[in-house]
Amino acid sequence: MIYFVDTYVKLTLLNSMGQEMSKCKTSIRRGQPNPVYKETFVFQVALFQLSDVTLILSVYNKRSMKRKEMIGWISLGLNSSGEDELNHWTEMKESKGQQVCRWHTLLES
C-alpha cells in the first residue's frame, strides 16, 4: 500500500548574524506524492540587504495534531546550501521583479 504524507513548507528569513527576521508557512498539502506550493510570500527586505540574508525552506510532514517531522530543507541567499541554491538567489536578485522558478533537491534533516 502506498502512503502519501501531509506536508507543508516553513520559510524562515535570517539576517547575516543568523537571527530570525521573519517566518511564515504554506498551507498543508494532503496526501500528495509530489506537492506543489503555488503560494506567494512577501518579506520586507531592503535592496541593499538582499546579499546579507538567508532564506531557509524546511519541508515538514504533519503527522498528527501536535507532531511534525522535518523531511528536508534548503537555504538560499548568504548561507546557501549549495551552488544551485546560490545561483537561484543570484538570478532572483537580478530578475527585476520577474518570477524565477527552480526545482531543488532537499537536504536531509
Side-chain angles (χ1 to χ4, degrees):
M1 180 174 160
I2 297 175
Y3 174 72
F4 299 120
V5 297
D6 299 340
T7 59
Y8 66 93
V9 179
K10 180 179 168 188
L11 299 91
T12 308
L13 187 68
L14 306 176
N15 66 17
S16 60
M17 305 296 283
Q19 298 166 316
E20 185 179 293
M21 297 172 62
S22 185
K23 67 181 176 183
C24 52
K25 63 182 180 179
T26 67
S27 57
I28 296 171
R29 298 293 185 266
R30 300 196 183 279
Q32 296 179 19
N34 296 300
V36 175
Y37 304 90
K38 287 189 177 186
E39 297 181 39
T40 301
F41 298 94
V42 177
F43 295 96
Q44 298 296 323
V45 180
L47 196 56
F48 72 90
Q49 283 184 300
L50 277 179
S51 296
D52 297 326
V53 296
T54 302
L55 181 62
I56 300 174
L57 297 96
S58 308
V59 181
Y60 286 90
N61 169 13
K62 181 156 177 40
R63 298 178 68 135
S64 65
M65 292 296 277
K66 293 284 183 193
R67 293 187 40 163
K68 63 183 181 184
E69 169 186 40
M70 186 189 297
I71 295 172
W73 64 278
I74 64 159
S75 61
L76 304 169
L78 177 64
N79 295 308
S80 289
S81 52
E83 197 68 32
D84 288 342
E85 290 76 20
L86 182 59
N87 291 338
H88 188 175
W89 187 258
T90 301
E91 198 173 331
M92 286 190 298
K93 286 193 313 182
E94 297 169 353
S95 71
K96 296 184 175 34
Q98 294 298 312
Q99 189 175 38
V100 178
C101 298
R102 297 283 175 271
W103 287 97
H104 294 278
T105 300
L106 294 176
L107 299 173
E108 290 185 28
S109 54

